[in-house]
């Protein structure tokens, strides 16, 4: 169940953080996407998070994007300042890979350059998204954001 406002908060963080276009990937939940976004449905959403990432990357590829910023809605204290910091670092890096960290723990958002999309798609399965690819990549920019937010995934046990 989506908590009121989480989707809008996540979209606002992405837009405010520098993302010109936002793709919202829907699945089991039937919700209205905020105005101004491209909303798609992961047809195989029951296969887990990887289905959402796969659908999202396919959509941004069709849109001609060079980078994807992956974000989730269940980290509601992640705001535009966090997104802007991670996006700036991802765009400036040689690898085109950057991930937010909160107190030394990996979180979202994640920036992934187009060159990495095939590897991400190959490494994912089930409820594992891009994390398995990122763990194996030696050139991911670690972007500490604990001074801006907790990054707490509120559907995860503490």
């Amino acid at each position: 169940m989506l908590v009121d406002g989480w989707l809008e908060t996540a979209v606002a963080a992405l837009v405010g953080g520098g993302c010109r276009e936002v793709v919202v990937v829907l699945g089991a939940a039937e919700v209205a996407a905020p105005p101004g976004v491209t909303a798609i449905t992961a047809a195989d959403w029951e296969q887990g998070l990887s289905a959402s990432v796969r659908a999202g990357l396919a959509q941004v590829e069709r849109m001609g994007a060079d980078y994807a910023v992956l974000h989730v809605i269940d980290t509601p204290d992640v705001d535009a300042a966090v997104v802007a910091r991670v996006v700036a670092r991802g765009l400036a890096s040689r690898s085109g890979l950057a991930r937010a960290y909160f107190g030394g723990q990996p979180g979202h958002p994640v920036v992934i350059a187009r060159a990495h999309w095939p590897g991400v798609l190959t490494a994912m399965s089930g409820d594992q998204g891009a994390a398995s690819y990122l763990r194996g990549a030696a050139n991911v920019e670690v972007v500490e954001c604990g001074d801006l937010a907790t990054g707490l995934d509120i559907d995860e046990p503490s």
Side-chain angles (χ1 to χ4, degrees):
M1 177 174 160
L2 296 177
V3 173
D4 287 342
W6 285 7
L7 179 56
E8 291 81 4
T9 298
V11 169
L14 291 166
V15 171
C19 298
R20 288 189 307 251
E21 297 188 56
V22 175
V23 174
V24 173
V25 181
L26 303 170
E30 292 183 24
V31 298
V37 304
T38 300
I40 62 170
T41 300
D44 54 348
W45 60 265
E46 69 280 349
Q47 292 183 14
L49 181 61
S50 64
S52 295
V53 175
R54 195 174 301 106
L57 287 179
Q59 179 62 37
V60 296
E61 184 169 28
R62 286 190 292 273
M63 296 167 81
D66 292 322
Y67 292 86
V69 179
L70 306 182
H71 191 36
V72 294
I73 67 164
D74 52 2
T75 56
D77 76 334
V78 171
D79 63 11
V82 173
V83 174
R85 184 180 286 178
V86 178
V87 166
R89 193 77 166 273
L91 294 178
S93 73
R94 293 179 124 195
S95 68
L97 293 171
R99 184 168 197 178
Y101 275 68
F102 302 91
Q105 297 299 313
H108 288 88
V110 176
V111 174
I112 303 174
R114 177 187 283 268
H116 297 281
W117 298 351
V120 169
L121 293 169
T122 300
M124 291 187 315
S125 68
D127 232 8
Q128 291 294 312
S132 55
Y133 179 81
L134 295 170
R135 274 193 298 275
N139 50 1
V140 178
E141 294 284 330
V142 172
V143 185
E144 181 56 51
C145 297
D147 61 317
L148 300 173
T150 67
L152 185 63
D153 183 337
I154 60 173
D155 71 357
E156 293 282 322
S158 23

